[in-house]
Amino acid sequence: MNDEKRTSERVPVNLPTRWHGATGSHEGRVEDLSVAGCFVNTTGAVDVGEIISLLIQLPSGRWLPIRGKVAFHHQLTGFSISFSILDDKERENLNELVAQQSANT
C-alpha cells in the first residue's frame, strides 16, 4: 500500500531562504520543492498551522516572495509548508521555478 500523500512532482533543490513567522525573522534553505509545498531546513521555531512569509533566493540572485502554511514541524531540522494560500502571481512564479528546477535535475 502506498501512503504517499503528495500529488505534485517534488524537485530536489538547495535554495537560500529568509523567512518570517511568529518568532521573528530567520534564515534557512528550501529543499524538496513542489507547486504544493516545500521543506525549509532551519533551526527557527514554528507552530503547525502558522502562516510563514518566505523569500526564496533564485539561481539568478533574485528573491521570490511567497507565503505558506506550516504543515509539519521537524524539531531542530525544519518544517514543511503547504502553498495552499497563494495568489495568482505567487502561483505563477512558483510554477515557473519548479519547472526550471525540474529541467535542471
Side-chain angles (χ1 to χ4, degrees):
M1 176 193 247
N2 185 354
D3 291 332
E4 184 66 46
K5 293 179 184 177
R6 296 175 184 97
T7 58
S8 302
E9 176 189 6
R10 293 177 286 156
V11 180
V13 297
N14 188 6
L15 300 171
T17 187
R18 297 178 186 153
W19 63 274
H20 185 83
T23 61
S25 296
H26 305 274
E27 294 186 357
R29 307 219 43 100
V30 169
E31 302 174 351
D32 198 26
L33 178 68
S34 80
V35 295
C38 71
F39 180 77
V40 179
N41 186 330
T42 184
T43 57
V46 295
D47 290 318
V48 171
E50 182 178 344
I51 303 298
I52 301 294
S53 297
L54 289 172
L55 285 173
I56 301 172
Q57 188 171 29
L58 305 176
S60 67
R62 210 171 47 100
W63 291 89
L64 172 67
I66 201 159
R67 294 167 297 140
K69 187 177 195 177
V70 176
F72 192 82
H73 179 246
H74 308 268
Q75 188 125 10
L76 301 176
T77 305
F79 56 90
S80 300
I81 66 170
S82 165
F83 295 137
S84 59
I85 59 170
L86 302 181
D87 63 29
D88 290 342
K89 184 64 175 168
E90 288 172 317
R91 187 154 310 283
E92 179 183 321
N93 289 336
L94 179 61
N95 285 334
E96 191 175 300
L97 175 60
V98 170
Q100 178 186 46
Q101 294 299 308
S102 181
N104 292 338
T105 58

